[in-house]
mmCIF file of all heavy atoms in Angstrom:
data_model
loop_
_atom_site.group_PDB
_atom_site.id
_atom_site.type_symbol
_atom_site.label_atom_id
_atom_site.label_comp_id
_atom_site.label_asym_id
_atom_site.label_seq_id
_atom_site.Cartn_x
_atom_site.Cartn_y
_atom_site.Cartn_z
ATOM 1 N N ASP Y 102 3.783 -0.462 -10.807
ATOM 2 C CA ASP Y 102 5.070 0.225 -10.683
ATOM 3 C C ASP Y 102 6.032 -0.756 -10.024
ATOM 4 O O ASP Y 102 5.907 -1.056 -8.839
ATOM 5 C CB ASP Y 102 4.914 1.487 -9.830
ATOM 6 C CG ASP Y 102 6.242 2.175 -9.565
ATOM 7 O OD1 ASP Y 102 7.279 1.765 -10.149
ATOM 8 O OD2 ASP Y 102 6.258 3.117 -8.757
ATOM 9 N N SER Y 103 6.937 -1.291 -10.795
ATOM 10 C CA SER Y 103 7.857 -2.309 -10.273
ATOM 11 C C SER Y 103 9.208 -1.724 -9.869
ATOM 12 O O SER Y 103 10.193 -2.451 -9.762
ATOM 13 C CB SER Y 103 8.036 -3.427 -11.302
ATOM 14 O OG SER Y 103 8.526 -2.905 -12.525
ATOM 15 N N SER Y 104 9.258 -0.423 -9.611
ATOM 16 C CA SER Y 104 10.530 0.196 -9.221
ATOM 17 C C SER Y 104 11.032 -0.332 -7.876
ATOM 18 O O SER Y 104 12.214 -0.180 -7.559
ATOM 19 C CB SER Y 104 10.401 1.718 -9.179
ATOM 20 O OG SER Y 104 9.440 2.119 -8.230
ATOM 21 N N PHE Y 105 10.157 -0.966 -7.095
ATOM 22 C CA PHE Y 105 10.605 -1.553 -5.830
ATOM 23 C C PHE Y 105 11.691 -2.604 -6.067
ATOM 24 O O PHE Y 105 12.523 -2.847 -5.202
ATOM 25 C CB PHE Y 105 9.426 -2.151 -5.045
ATOM 26 C CG PHE Y 105 8.707 -3.258 -5.754
ATOM 27 C CD1 PHE Y 105 9.154 -4.562 -5.655
ATOM 28 C CD2 PHE Y 105 7.594 -2.996 -6.529
ATOM 29 C CE1 PHE Y 105 8.501 -5.591 -6.321
ATOM 30 C CE2 PHE Y 105 6.928 -4.008 -7.190
ATOM 31 C CZ PHE Y 105 7.387 -5.317 -7.087
ATOM 32 N N ILE Y 106 11.701 -3.202 -7.254
ATOM 33 C CA ILE Y 106 12.735 -4.190 -7.580
ATOM 34 C C ILE Y 106 14.097 -3.509 -7.659
ATOM 35 O O ILE Y 106 15.107 -4.046 -7.200
ATOM 36 C CB ILE Y 106 12.383 -4.940 -8.878
ATOM 37 C CG1 ILE Y 106 11.159 -5.827 -8.627
ATOM 38 C CG2 ILE Y 106 13.568 -5.759 -9.389
ATOM 39 C CD1 ILE Y 106 10.638 -6.542 -9.860
ATOM 40 N N ASP Y 107 14.142 -2.305 -8.226
ATOM 41 C CA ASP Y 107 15.401 -1.563 -8.320
ATOM 42 C C ASP Y 107 15.885 -1.114 -6.942
ATOM 43 O O ASP Y 107 17.078 -1.081 -6.673
ATOM 44 C CB ASP Y 107 15.226 -0.321 -9.205
ATOM 45 C CG ASP Y 107 14.841 -0.667 -10.628
ATOM 46 O OD1 ASP Y 107 15.271 -1.731 -11.133
ATOM 47 O OD2 ASP Y 107 14.096 0.116 -11.243
ATOM 48 N N ARG Y 108 14.947 -0.744 -6.071
ATOM 49 C CA ARG Y 108 15.301 -0.182 -4.763
ATOM 50 C C ARG Y 108 15.567 -1.245 -3.702
ATOM 51 O O ARG Y 108 16.221 -0.980 -2.713
ATOM 52 C CB ARG Y 108 14.181 0.734 -4.274
ATOM 53 C CG ARG Y 108 14.072 2.002 -5.073
ATOM 54 C CD ARG Y 108 13.128 2.979 -4.391
ATOM 55 N NE ARG Y 108 13.012 4.178 -5.191
ATOM 56 C CZ ARG Y 108 11.955 4.461 -5.944
ATOM 57 N NH1 ARG Y 108 10.927 3.649 -5.980
ATOM 58 N NH2 ARG Y 108 11.930 5.569 -6.648
ATOM 59 N N GLY Y 109 15.018 -2.443 -3.886
ATOM 60 C CA GLY Y 109 15.117 -3.467 -2.852
ATOM 61 C C GLY Y 109 16.327 -4.362 -3.014
ATOM 62 O O GLY Y 109 17.010 -4.341 -4.035
ATOM 63 N N SER Y 110 16.555 -5.145 -1.979
ATOM 64 C CA SER Y 110 17.510 -6.247 -2.059
ATOM 65 C C SER Y 110 16.717 -7.460 -2.509
ATOM 66 O O SER Y 110 15.662 -7.758 -1.939
ATOM 67 C CB SER Y 110 18.143 -6.516 -0.690
ATOM 68 O OG SER Y 110 18.963 -5.452 -0.307
ATOM 69 N N LEU Y 111 17.195 -8.153 -3.518
ATOM 70 C CA LEU Y 111 16.451 -9.270 -4.090
ATOM 71 C C LEU Y 111 17.068 -10.603 -3.722
ATOM 72 O O LEU Y 111 18.290 -10.730 -3.618
ATOM 73 C CB LEU Y 111 16.427 -9.164 -5.619
ATOM 74 C CG LEU Y 111 15.875 -7.882 -6.218
ATOM 75 C CD1 LEU Y 111 15.939 -7.954 -7.741
ATOM 76 C CD2 LEU Y 111 14.454 -7.633 -5.747
ATOM 77 N N VAL Y 112 16.206 -11.586 -3.540
ATOM 78 C CA VAL Y 112 16.642 -12.966 -3.346
ATOM 79 C C VAL Y 112 15.760 -13.837 -4.232
ATOM 80 O O VAL Y 112 14.531 -13.764 -4.156
ATOM 81 C CB VAL Y 112 16.513 -13.411 -1.874
ATOM 82 C CG1 VAL Y 112 16.791 -14.911 -1.731
ATOM 83 C CG2 VAL Y 112 17.453 -12.608 -0.977
ATOM 84 N N LEU Y 113 16.391 -14.627 -5.079
ATOM 85 C CA LEU Y 113 15.662 -15.602 -5.868
ATOM 86 C C LEU Y 113 15.802 -16.941 -5.163
ATOM 87 O O LEU Y 113 16.915 -17.437 -4.971
ATOM 88 C CB LEU Y 113 16.203 -15.684 -7.294
ATOM 89 C CG LEU Y 113 15.405 -16.603 -8.221
ATOM 90 C CD1 LEU Y 113 14.006 -16.047 -8.478
ATOM 91 C CD2 LEU Y 113 16.136 -16.806 -9.535
ATOM 92 N N ALA Y 114 14.666 -17.495 -4.736
ATOM 93 C CA ALA Y 114 14.663 -18.797 -4.067
ATOM 94 C C ALA Y 114 14.476 -19.874 -5.128
ATOM 95 O O ALA Y 114 13.530 -19.827 -5.916
ATOM 96 C CB ALA Y 114 13.539 -18.854 -3.045
ATOM 97 N N CYS Y 115 15.389 -20.825 -5.146
ATOM 98 C CA CYS Y 115 15.343 -21.928 -6.099
ATOM 99 C C CYS Y 115 15.204 -23.240 -5.332
ATOM 100 O O CYS Y 115 15.708 -23.366 -4.213
ATOM 101 C CB CYS Y 115 16.624 -21.981 -6.924
ATOM 102 S SG CYS Y 115 16.964 -20.467 -7.840
ATOM 103 N N CYS Y 116 14.529 -24.206 -5.953
ATOM 104 C CA CYS Y 116 14.386 -25.507 -5.297
ATOM 105 C C CYS Y 116 14.914 -26.603 -6.216
ATOM 106 O O CYS Y 116 14.865 -26.489 -7.439
ATOM 107 C CB CYS Y 116 12.931 -25.763 -4.910
ATOM 108 S SG CYS Y 116 11.809 -25.978 -6.293
ATOM 109 N N ASP Y 117 15.414 -27.658 -5.580
ATOM 110 C CA ASP Y 117 15.900 -28.831 -6.301
ATOM 111 C C ASP Y 117 14.688 -29.681 -6.650
ATOM 112 O O ASP Y 117 14.183 -30.435 -5.821
ATOM 113 C CB ASP Y 117 16.883 -29.598 -5.421
ATOM 114 C CG ASP Y 117 17.464 -30.818 -6.101
ATOM 115 O OD1 ASP Y 117 16.909 -31.270 -7.130
ATOM 116 O OD2 ASP Y 117 18.470 -31.351 -5.590
ATOM 117 N N SER Y 118 14.225 -29.560 -7.888
ATOM 118 C CA SER Y 118 12.986 -30.219 -8.295
ATOM 119 C C SER Y 118 13.103 -31.740 -8.353
ATOM 120 O O SER Y 118 12.100 -32.421 -8.529
ATOM 121 C CB SER Y 118 12.511 -29.659 -9.642
ATOM 122 O OG SER Y 118 13.516 -29.816 -10.608
ATOM 123 N N SER Y 119 14.295 -32.283 -8.166
ATOM 124 C CA SER Y 119 14.440 -33.740 -8.144
ATOM 125 C C SER Y 119 14.151 -34.315 -6.758
ATOM 126 O O SER Y 119 14.088 -35.528 -6.596
ATOM 127 C CB SER Y 119 15.858 -34.138 -8.583
ATOM 128 O OG SER Y 119 16.812 -33.806 -7.576
ATOM 129 N N LYS Y 120 13.976 -33.451 -5.765
ATOM 130 C CA LYS Y 120 13.751 -33.891 -4.385
ATOM 131 C C LYS Y 120 12.265 -33.858 -4.039
ATOM 132 O O LYS Y 120 11.542 -32.983 -4.509
ATOM 133 C CB LYS Y 120 14.508 -32.993 -3.403
ATOM 134 C CG LYS Y 120 15.996 -32.871 -3.660
ATOM 135 C CD LYS Y 120 16.720 -34.112 -3.257
ATOM 136 C CE LYS Y 120 18.222 -33.879 -3.334
ATOM 137 N NZ LYS Y 120 18.952 -34.981 -3.844
ATOM 138 N N PRO Y 121 11.824 -34.793 -3.180
ATOM 139 C CA PRO Y 121 10.419 -34.764 -2.768
ATOM 140 C C PRO Y 121 10.107 -33.505 -1.961
ATOM 141 O O PRO Y 121 10.966 -33.015 -1.229
ATOM 142 C CB PRO Y 121 10.238 -36.022 -1.921
ATOM 143 C CG PRO Y 121 11.595 -36.542 -1.639
ATOM 144 C CD PRO Y 121 12.561 -35.900 -2.587
ATOM 145 N N VAL Y 122 8.928 -33.005 -2.113
ATOM 146 C CA VAL Y 122 8.389 -31.805 -1.438
ATOM 147 C C VAL Y 122 9.338 -30.606 -1.457
ATOM 148 O O VAL Y 122 9.340 -29.785 -0.544
ATOM 149 C CB VAL Y 122 7.870 -32.099 -0.010
ATOM 150 C CG1 VAL Y 122 6.720 -33.071 -0.038
ATOM 151 C CG2 VAL Y 122 8.966 -32.587 0.926
ATOM 152 N N ALA Y 123 10.114 -30.490 -2.526
ATOM 153 C CA ALA Y 123 11.094 -29.401 -2.613
ATOM 154 C C ALA Y 123 10.422 -28.036 -2.653
ATOM 155 O O ALA Y 123 10.895 -27.091 -2.006
ATOM 156 C CB ALA Y 123 11.981 -29.586 -3.835
ATOM 157 N N GLU Y 124 9.332 -27.917 -3.393
ATOM 158 C CA GLU Y 124 8.659 -26.613 -3.484
ATOM 159 C C GLU Y 124 8.100 -26.201 -2.133
ATOM 160 O O GLU Y 124 8.274 -25.061 -1.712
ATOM 161 C CB GLU Y 124 7.557 -26.644 -4.538
ATOM 162 C CG GLU Y 124 8.095 -26.675 -5.947
ATOM 163 C CD GLU Y 124 7.010 -26.562 -7.003
ATOM 164 O OE1 GLU Y 124 5.832 -26.318 -6.654
ATOM 165 O OE2 GLU Y 124 7.343 -26.715 -8.191
ATOM 166 N N LEU Y 125 7.428 -27.114 -1.473
ATOM 167 C CA LEU Y 125 6.859 -26.810 -0.159
ATOM 168 C C LEU Y 125 7.958 -26.421 0.829
ATOM 169 O O LEU Y 125 7.857 -25.413 1.536
ATOM 170 C CB LEU Y 125 6.070 -28.007 0.370
ATOM 171 C CG LEU Y 125 5.509 -27.868 1.773
ATOM 172 C CD1 LEU Y 125 4.543 -26.704 1.871
ATOM 173 C CD2 LEU Y 125 4.837 -29.165 2.203
ATOM 174 N N SER Y 126 9.023 -27.186 0.865
ATOM 175 C CA SER Y 126 10.127 -26.898 1.781
ATOM 176 C C SER Y 126 10.747 -25.535 1.493
ATOM 177 O O SER Y 126 11.038 -24.763 2.415
ATOM 178 C CB SER Y 126 11.205 -27.989 1.680
ATOM 179 O OG SER Y 126 10.707 -29.227 2.129
ATOM 180 N N THR Y 127 10.927 -25.216 0.227
ATOM 181 C CA THR Y 127 11.533 -23.939 -0.138
ATOM 182 C C THR Y 127 10.609 -22.778 0.224
ATOM 183 O O THR Y 127 11.077 -21.718 0.639
ATOM 184 C CB THR Y 127 11.916 -23.927 -1.625
ATOM 185 O OG1 THR Y 127 12.788 -25.042 -1.875
ATOM 186 C CG2 THR Y 127 12.621 -22.640 -2.015
ATOM 187 N N MET Y 128 9.306 -22.984 0.103
ATOM 188 C CA MET Y 128 8.370 -21.921 0.508
ATOM 189 C C MET Y 128 8.402 -21.706 2.021
ATOM 190 O O MET Y 128 8.210 -20.576 2.486
ATOM 191 C CB MET Y 128 6.960 -22.233 0.019
ATOM 192 C CG MET Y 128 6.840 -22.128 -1.503
ATOM 193 S SD MET Y 128 7.466 -20.586 -2.220
ATOM 194 C CE MET Y 128 6.044 -19.544 -2.034
ATOM 195 N N LEU Y 129 8.675 -22.761 2.789
ATOM 196 C CA LEU Y 129 8.861 -22.581 4.238
ATOM 197 C C LEU Y 129 10.080 -21.690 4.495
ATOM 198 O O LEU Y 129 10.048 -20.811 5.365
ATOM 199 C CB LEU Y 129 9.039 -23.931 4.940
ATOM 200 C CG LEU Y 129 7.817 -24.836 4.990
ATOM 201 C CD1 LEU Y 129 8.203 -26.223 5.512
ATOM 202 C CD2 LEU Y 129 6.728 -24.232 5.846
ATOM 203 N N ALA Y 130 11.133 -21.895 3.725
ATOM 204 C CA ALA Y 130 12.328 -21.063 3.857
ATOM 205 C C ALA Y 130 12.014 -19.612 3.487
ATOM 206 O O ALA Y 130 12.485 -18.672 4.145
ATOM 207 C CB ALA Y 130 13.453 -21.618 2.985
ATOM 208 N N CYS Y 131 11.193 -19.424 2.454
ATOM 209 C CA CYS Y 131 10.799 -18.065 2.053
ATOM 210 C C CYS Y 131 10.041 -17.380 3.186
ATOM 211 O O CYS Y 131 10.291 -16.199 3.486
ATOM 212 C CB CYS Y 131 9.947 -18.107 0.795
ATOM 213 S SG CYS Y 131 10.867 -18.557 -0.702
ATOM 214 N N GLU Y 132 9.121 -18.083 3.807
ATOM 215 C CA GLU Y 132 8.367 -17.492 4.919
ATOM 216 C C GLU Y 132 9.302 -17.109 6.070
ATOM 217 O O GLU Y 132 9.152 -16.039 6.661
ATOM 218 C CB GLU Y 132 7.282 -18.458 5.405
ATOM 219 C CG GLU Y 132 6.487 -17.941 6.583
ATOM 220 C CD GLU Y 132 5.582 -16.745 6.272
ATOM 221 O OE1 GLU Y 132 5.539 -16.278 5.129
ATOM 222 O OE2 GLU Y 132 4.911 -16.275 7.210
ATOM 223 N N ASN Y 133 10.278 -17.958 6.375
ATOM 224 C CA ASN Y 133 11.254 -17.604 7.410
ATOM 225 C C ASN Y 133 11.948 -16.286 7.060
ATOM 226 O O ASN Y 133 12.142 -15.422 7.919
ATOM 227 C CB ASN Y 133 12.309 -18.705 7.562
ATOM 228 C CG ASN Y 133 11.970 -19.724 8.611
ATOM 229 O OD1 ASN Y 133 10.815 -19.896 8.987
ATOM 230 N ND2 ASN Y 133 12.984 -20.433 9.081
ATOM 231 N N MET Y 134 12.321 -16.132 5.785
ATOM 232 C CA MET Y 134 13.015 -14.913 5.376
ATOM 233 C C MET Y 134 12.102 -13.692 5.474
ATOM 234 O O MET Y 134 12.528 -12.620 5.911
ATOM 235 C CB MET Y 134 13.586 -15.069 3.965
ATOM 236 C CG MET Y 134 14.763 -16.034 3.917
ATOM 237 S SD MET Y 134 15.623 -16.081 2.326
ATOM 238 C CE MET Y 134 14.585 -17.218 1.412
ATOM 239 N N LEU Y 135 10.839 -13.847 5.075
ATOM 240 C CA LEU Y 135 9.889 -12.732 5.167
ATOM 241 C C LEU Y 135 9.701 -12.299 6.620
ATOM 242 O O LEU Y 135 9.664 -11.094 6.923
ATOM 243 C CB LEU Y 135 8.547 -13.130 4.554
ATOM 244 C CG LEU Y 135 8.550 -13.423 3.052
ATOM 245 C CD1 LEU Y 135 7.218 -14.040 2.632
ATOM 246 C CD2 LEU Y 135 8.860 -12.189 2.239
ATOM 247 N N LEU Y 136 9.591 -13.253 7.522
ATOM 248 C CA LEU Y 136 9.400 -12.926 8.940
ATOM 249 C C LEU Y 136 10.671 -12.320 9.544
ATOM 250 O O LEU Y 136 10.595 -11.394 10.350
ATOM 251 C CB LEU Y 136 8.944 -14.161 9.717
ATOM 252 C CG LEU Y 136 7.530 -14.621 9.369
ATOM 253 C CD1 LEU Y 136 7.239 -15.978 10.002
ATOM 254 C CD2 LEU Y 136 6.487 -13.593 9.789
#
Side-chain angles (χ1 to χ4, degrees):
D102 175 7
S103 58
S104 61
F105 61 86
I106 292 175
D107 298 328
R108 290 191 181 104
S110 292
L111 304 180
V112 172
L113 185 67
C115 302
C116 67
D117 181 344
S118 57
S119 72
K120 305 286 188 220
V122 297
E124 288 186 7
L125 176 61
S126 295
T127 304
M128 291 309 275
L129 291 171
C131 289
E132 178 68 0
N133 268 22
M134 289 188 277
L135 295 170
L136 291 170

